[in-house]
Amino acid sequence: MAVFGKEKLIGRTGKVVEIEMVTPHMKRVRLAGKELRHQNWGQGHHIRIFVDSLLKLHDSLRSYSVWHYDGEEGLVDLLMLVHGEGPGSKWVEKVKVGDSATFISVLGRFRIIPEASYYLLAAEETGAVALQALWKNFPAEKKVLGAFEADTPEDALPDLPGKTLPWVYRQGKPASPESGLFEAIKKIELPPEPGVAYVAGETKTCLAIRSYLLEKGWPKQNLQVKPFWEAGRTGLD
Ligand SMILES: Cc1cc2nc3c(=O)[nH]c(=O)nc-3n(C[C@H](O)[C@H](O)[C@H](O)COP(=O)(O)OP(=O)(O)OC[C@H]3O[C@@H](n4cnc5c(N)ncnc54)[C@H](O)[C@@H]3O)c2cc1C
């Protein structure tokens, strides 16, 4: 365990004990270790992994949502996309069983609002990791609307047991408000009253969906919107 800088963030190290291809570009990476036991990493948590030299501190940190956490065993599963550019993507491409991963944990923006009248989910494949992890914990009786976007049908994350939403496909286009997700959200016939929306992924698409829902009269506090990445920017948190 190490403490970094003034923020006194606690860095933990886990060993990579399992790797599985979930889609052709998305790996499930399981980290294990004593330092990972008995934490409160549940809904809405992500970790920031050092994907480059520790000396570069924040410039080498990249964020990944906690997909599954087993505090008794000290296991964390991440679903990590190889998208081509950036030290994070390269780390995921090269990672192998036996490697170490040092990271800090962060409680992010997403919170489950149990009293919501329904939930609206919108994300491309990296945002879908965070939103599906939340969805596992939604009250069972609540209606869930929304859509996800991936490059091709093979890149769509598998459905959670008994839970499904439509996927739309970019077919090689870069993710943007024109690549399909925003259109799919606009086509949804929403109930008259606002629900709670969870939106994650490519920045401009997130902001377009946020503006659309605000224009429809949804209160700001019903919108949990988290841009995950943006063309030309690095390491968003
Ligand atoms: C809170 C949070 C949770 C996240 N959870 C996950 C997760 O569970 N799984 C996951 O795979 N990702 C997740 N991400 C997204 C991931 O952190 C970013 O994609 C990150 O930019 C990857 O780092 P990098 O070094 O590969 O690219 P960077 O160096 O950060 O970016 C370099 C360039 O690569 C391009 N780029 C970056 N990300 C993508 C992308 N996803 N698709 C296409 N092009 C991209 C952009 O053009 C960018 O300018 C999360 C992000 C945040 C903020």
Side-chain angles (χ1 to χ4, degrees):
M1 189 181 294
V3 175
F4 296 101
K6 288 191 194 126
E7 288 167 290
K8 298 233 177 352
L9 294 168
I10 297 187
R12 295 170 198 280
T13 299
K15 273 253 181 283
V16 176
V17 293
E18 227 175 87
I19 298 176
E20 175 196 13
M21 296 307 298
V22 175
T23 74
H25 300 103
M26 182 79 83
K27 284 183 181 173
R28 181 179 63 82
V29 176
R30 170 164 287 181
L31 304 179
K34 272 197 285 201
E35 294 181 4
L36 280 54
R37 286 194 188 143
H38 309 305
Q39 303 301 315
N40 63 344
W41 302 331
Q43 308 155 14
H45 270 89
H46 61 276
I47 67 172
R48 303 207 78 211
I49 298 192
F50 285 92
V51 293
D52 205 338
S53 163
L54 289 184
L55 297 175
K56 293 191 190 165
L57 273 180
H58 291 291
D59 288 341
S60 71
L61 285 166
R62 293 294 183 270
S63 300
Y64 293 92
S65 309
V66 173
W67 169 250
H68 172 75
Y69 176 59
D70 179 338
E72 284 305 309
E73 299 294 328
L75 301 174
V76 179
D77 282 356
L78 308 168
L79 300 191
M80 309 173 88
L81 185 72
V82 177
H83 61 82
E85 291 176 58
S89 182
K90 292 202 169 75
W91 188 93
V92 182
E93 206 174 343
K94 291 190 186 142
V95 67
K96 51 189 190 318
V97 170
D99 286 355
S100 294
T102 298
F103 62 87
I104 56 177
S105 67
V106 181
L107 178 57
R109 194 167 292 176
F110 295 130
R111 302 280 177 284
I112 295 178
I113 311 289
E115 59 276 17
S117 38
Y118 61 96
Y119 301 110
L120 177 70
L121 307 185
E124 46 60 278
E125 52 271 65
T126 64
V129 178
L131 301 195
Q132 286 200 350
L134 275 185
W135 192 358
K136 293 176 194 171
N137 296 295
F138 285 167
E141 72 286 359
K142 285 290 154 86
K143 185 171 178 172
V144 179
L145 299 171
F148 296 126
E149 178 187 285
D151 193 21
T152 69
E154 291 71 40
D155 293 301
L157 298 188
D159 287 339
L160 296 171
K163 302 175 196 291
T164 187
L165 279 179
W167 285 77
V168 293
Y169 304 108
R170 296 188 294 276
Q171 304 289 7
K173 281 194 250 162
S176 80
E178 287 78 46
S179 58
L181 179 63
F182 184 33
E183 209 48 47
I185 294 298
K186 286 194 286 186
K187 281 190 186 144
I188 295 172
E189 208 168 301
L190 294 169
E193 78 285 3
V196 169
Y198 298 94
V199 182
E202 191 274 327
T203 298
K204 291 197 172 94
T205 312
C206 288
L207 298 181
I209 294 170
R210 181 177 185 276
S211 302
Y212 167 73
L213 293 172
L214 285 173
E215 276 163 26
K216 288 190 89 64
W218 285 44
K220 268 191 197 151
Q221 64 270 21
N222 290 35
L223 305 178
Q224 300 194 21
V225 179
K226 178 65 190 152
F228 273 14
W229 62 274
E230 185 174 342
R233 288 185 64 193
T234 60
L236 297 195
D237 180 23

